[in-house]
């Protein structure tokens, strides 16, 4: 809710002031900020950046990770040395803390080295909090040690703060180290101007020394980020190159398949269509056989062109044409029967709709198994069993021994391998082995749990 208040000035004019709720006031503040001068917006943005770097989650727990030992130098060292070398940064920080304690002990004021040394050790777990502890505790350490010549930086505070700036800068971003350097200068000069007894301060030497150290750390950060960016770009480039090479290979394979297989299948279709006209008064059975051959050749050409389209596709997307499912098994079996194969089909269990991948793989397995019977066991009969069970789908295609005068066609066994790959892709199981009567049996189980309907 908002309300309107009438306000008068010294000249008697009346102005209207609208007050808003806190939530609306926040929006107004944001709008007011946008109408400020560029200098104000820049200062406001800088303050927000400093707050984000040094105030938000200042006491967050960030344990210093072990050092990597896969560098060009460290990887050549013996394994037992590399095992302990991972903790080398932690040992350096602990050694710096001991040096700070020793400085305080050497000045005759051991207690003045405790807080600065604690700030150094704190960089291992809470780096930003260690900076604030080292910065704020500097004047108190100077008072305890009676050190006024270099106010507010006693020798222990000077050394500890330099170490803290270095470690925190190495563990954070360059922007954070810049803000730490600026705040150190502001805080140090403020203490010199308003809290000292007139002695010379050590803020300027600290800023100069820390600037050189932070510059070296920033250069190291920049170099590492550039190396990571180059490595990432090389990885992307290599991936794109591999993708392009794979696409070229797939295109080559598709072209060869089209030139070889499609040519021969087209010749088969044309010859099958023209064959009945070469015989005077051919029997109906012969005409039907040639018609079936032509239909199969045309169907194979259509399927080949569809698959080649997928192979040549750069985005590897599935084709828009409908894929065969178990509902098409009847037409598949009828087609095989027309080719002269005796097939008995049995379906057990309650038929239900299965995932598309399961339906397609099951159809292809039965198709390949029946094709193998036609090629390798001419004259044999086959039996197809499809079992819908609670946990999935069972398939079984079994045939007897070859009979007749037609010789089996040679094969390299790629059909069985393809069936195994399809089943393995769906986490199923498959067996393919000879039977005792000289036939062959292919059995597969594809898991497809029943989906509960709401």
């Amino acid at each position: 809710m908002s309300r309107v208040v009438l306000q008068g000035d010294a000249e008697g004019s009346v102005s209207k002031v609208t007050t808003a709720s806190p939530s609306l006031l926040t929006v107004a503040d944001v709008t007011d900020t946008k109408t400020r001068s560029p200098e104000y917006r820049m200062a406001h943005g800088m303050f927000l950046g400093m707050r984000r770097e040094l105030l938000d989650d200042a006491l967050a727990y960030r344990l210093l990770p072990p050092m990597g030992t896969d560098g060009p130098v460290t990887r050549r060292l013996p394994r037992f040395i590399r095992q302990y070398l991972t903790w080398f940064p932690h040992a350096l920080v602990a050694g710096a803390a001991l040096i700070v304690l020793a400085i305080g002990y050497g000045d005759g004021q051991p207690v003045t080295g405790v807080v600065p040394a604690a700030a150094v050790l704190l960089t291992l777990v809470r780096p930003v909090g260690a900076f604030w502890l080292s910065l704020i505790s500097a004047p108190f350490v100077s008072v305890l040690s009676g050190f006024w010549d270099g106010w507010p930086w006693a020798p222990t505070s000077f050394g500890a703060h330099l170490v803290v700036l270095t470690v925190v800068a190495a563990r954070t971003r360059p922007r954070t180290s810049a803000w730490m350097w600026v705040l150190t200068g502001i805080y140090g000069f403020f203490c010199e101007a308003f809290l000292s007894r007139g002695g010379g301060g050590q803020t300027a030497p600290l800023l100069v020394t820390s600037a050189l150290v932070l510059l070296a750390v920033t250069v190291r950060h920049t170099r590492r980020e550039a190396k990571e960016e180059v490595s990432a770009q090389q990885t992307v480039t290599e991936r794109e190159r591999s993708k392009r090479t794979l696409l070229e290979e797939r295109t080559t394979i598709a072209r060869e398949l089209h030139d070889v297989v499609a040519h021969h299948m087209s010749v088969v279709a044309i010859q099958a269509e023209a064959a009945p006209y070469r015989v005077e008064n051919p029997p109906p059975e012969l005409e039907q056989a040639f018609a079936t051959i032509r239909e199969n050749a045309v169907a194979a050409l259509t399927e080949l062109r569809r698959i080649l389209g997928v192979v040549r596709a750069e985005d590897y997307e599935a084709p828009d044409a409908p894929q065969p499912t178990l509902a098409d098994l009847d037409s598949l079996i009828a087609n095989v029967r027309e080719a002269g194969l005796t097939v008995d089909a049995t379906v057990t269990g309650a038929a239900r709709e299965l995932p598309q991948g399961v339906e397609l793989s099951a159809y292809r397995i039965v198709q390949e198994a029946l094709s193998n019977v036609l090629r390798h066991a001419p004259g044999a009969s086959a039996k197809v069993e499809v079992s819908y069970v609670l946990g999935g789908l069972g398939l079984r295609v079994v045939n007897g021994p070859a009979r007749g005068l037609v010789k089996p066609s040679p094969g390299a066994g790629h059909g069985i391998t393809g069936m195994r790959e399809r089943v393995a892709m769906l986490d199923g199981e498959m067996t393919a082995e000879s039977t005792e009567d000289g036939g062959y049996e292919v059995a597969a189980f594809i898991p497809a749990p029943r989906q509960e309907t709401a």
Side-chain angles (χ1 to χ4, degrees):
M1 296 294 293
S2 61
R3 58 178 181 173
V4 178
V5 178
L6 298 180
Q7 223 176 28
D9 56 11
E11 297 179 357
S13 61
V14 178
S15 59
K16 183 173 67 174
V17 178
T18 303
T19 61
S21 61
S23 60
L24 296 179
L25 188 60
T26 303
V27 177
D29 289 342
V30 173
T31 306
D32 183 63
T33 301
K34 293 182 178 179
T35 60
R36 300 278 186 171
S37 63
E39 293 81 4
Y40 175 85
R41 293 200 299 269
M42 183 179 66
H44 183 70
M46 292 176 62
F47 172 76
L48 292 180
M50 186 271 293
R51 186 180 68 178
R52 182 171 57 252
E53 299 292 338
L54 295 177
L55 294 179
D56 295 346
D57 297 331
L59 300 179
Y61 181 80
R62 302 171 186 173
L63 180 63
L64 179 64
M67 184 183 71
T69 58
D70 55 349
V73 178
T74 55
R75 70 163 63 103
R76 294 185 174 89
L77 298 175
R79 181 177 299 178
F80 73 94
I81 295 180
R82 286 189 282 117
Q83 180 180 357
Y84 297 102
L85 194 61
T86 56
W87 305 106
F88 180 70
H90 305 74
L92 280 181
V93 174
L98 290 177
I99 293 175
V100 171
L101 283 175
I103 293 174
Y105 183 82
D107 292 340
Q109 299 288 338
V111 69
T112 60
V114 175
V115 175
V120 173
L121 292 176
L122 192 61
T123 58
L124 297 175
V125 290
R126 305 184 190 276
V128 179
F131 164 74
W132 287 113
L133 176 62
S134 177
L135 183 68
I136 296 174
S137 64
F140 300 97
V141 172
S142 295
V143 171
L144 290 176
S145 62
F147 184 81
W148 296 97
D149 293 336
W151 176 268
W153 306 103
T156 53
S157 297
F158 188 97
H161 197 68
L162 188 60
V163 173
V164 168
L165 288 176
T166 304
V167 176
V168 178
R171 297 197 58 191
T172 55
R173 298 185 297 178
R175 185 180 302 175
T176 305
S177 60
W179 276 116
M180 290 191 302
W181 187 83
V182 170
L183 290 178
T184 298
I186 294 175
Y187 185 75
F189 287 126
F190 174 82
C191 292
E192 290 182 7
F194 297 100
L195 302 178
S196 68
R197 294 185 177 180
Q202 294 291 326
T203 300
L206 176 62
L207 290 178
V208 173
T209 306
S210 61
L212 296 176
V213 175
L214 294 180
L215 179 61
V217 175
T218 302
V219 170
R220 179 178 176 272
H221 266 298
T222 305
R223 183 173 178 272
R224 184 178 61 185
E225 291 177 357
K227 185 183 296 184
E228 292 177 353
E229 184 176 355
V230 170
S231 178
Q233 187 64 34
Q234 290 177 348
T235 302
V236 173
T237 304
E238 184 65 26
R239 188 181 300 114
E240 291 296 330
R241 186 183 297 110
S242 300
K243 183 179 179 180
R244 185 170 59 253
T245 303
L246 178 61
L247 181 60
E248 293 175 355
E249 292 177 354
R250 288 160 62 97
T251 303
T252 302
I253 294 173
R255 184 169 56 250
E256 293 296 329
L257 283 175
H258 181 271
D259 293 343
V260 177
V261 180
H263 168 73
H264 290 292
M265 294 301 297
S266 299
V267 172
V268 169
I270 294 173
Q271 290 179 345
E273 185 177 9
Y277 299 99
R278 297 178 181 272
V279 180
E280 186 177 357
N281 298 323
E285 294 82 0
L286 182 61
E287 291 184 350
Q288 181 61 36
F290 281 117
T292 302
I293 293 174
R294 183 182 182 281
E295 291 176 0
N296 289 335
V298 172
L301 278 173
T302 303
E303 187 73 9
L304 178 63
R305 292 191 181 97
R306 183 186 64 81
I307 295 175
L308 292 182
V310 176
V311 172
R312 285 173 170 168
E314 184 175 359
D315 51 4
Y316 309 106
E317 292 183 356
D320 295 332
Q323 300 293 318
T325 62
L326 290 175
D328 301 317
L329 274 183
D330 292 338
S331 59
L332 172 64
I333 293 175
N335 194 352
V336 174
R337 285 171 178 167
E338 292 178 358
L341 178 64
T342 303
V343 183
D344 293 331
T346 303
V347 178
T348 60
R352 66 182 188 276
E353 184 177 356
L354 300 174
Q356 182 180 2
V358 176
E359 295 264 356
L360 176 61
S361 296
Y363 179 90
R364 294 302 187 195
I365 290 172
V366 175
Q367 182 185 41
E368 182 62 29
L370 293 178
S371 299
N372 287 342
V373 176
L374 284 172
R375 289 194 298 267
H376 305 304
S381 60
K383 184 177 182 180
V384 177
E385 296 180 0
V386 180
S387 302
Y388 290 89
V389 296
L390 186 62
L393 179 71
L395 300 173
R396 182 173 178 266
V397 180
V398 60
N399 62 273
R403 296 176 181 176
L405 300 177
V406 181
K407 294 182 179 180
S409 301
H414 296 298
I416 297 295
T417 302
M419 287 189 282
R420 292 188 187 277
E421 291 174 352
R422 288 183 180 274
V423 173
M425 182 177 59
L426 298 173
D427 297 328
E429 298 178 357
M430 175 184 155
T431 59
E433 56 189 3
S434 302
T435 59
E436 296 180 356
D437 59 354
Y440 205 80
E441 178 184 17
V442 175
F445 175 78
I446 304 176
R450 183 187 297 274
Q451 298 180 354
E452 298 293 338
T453 56

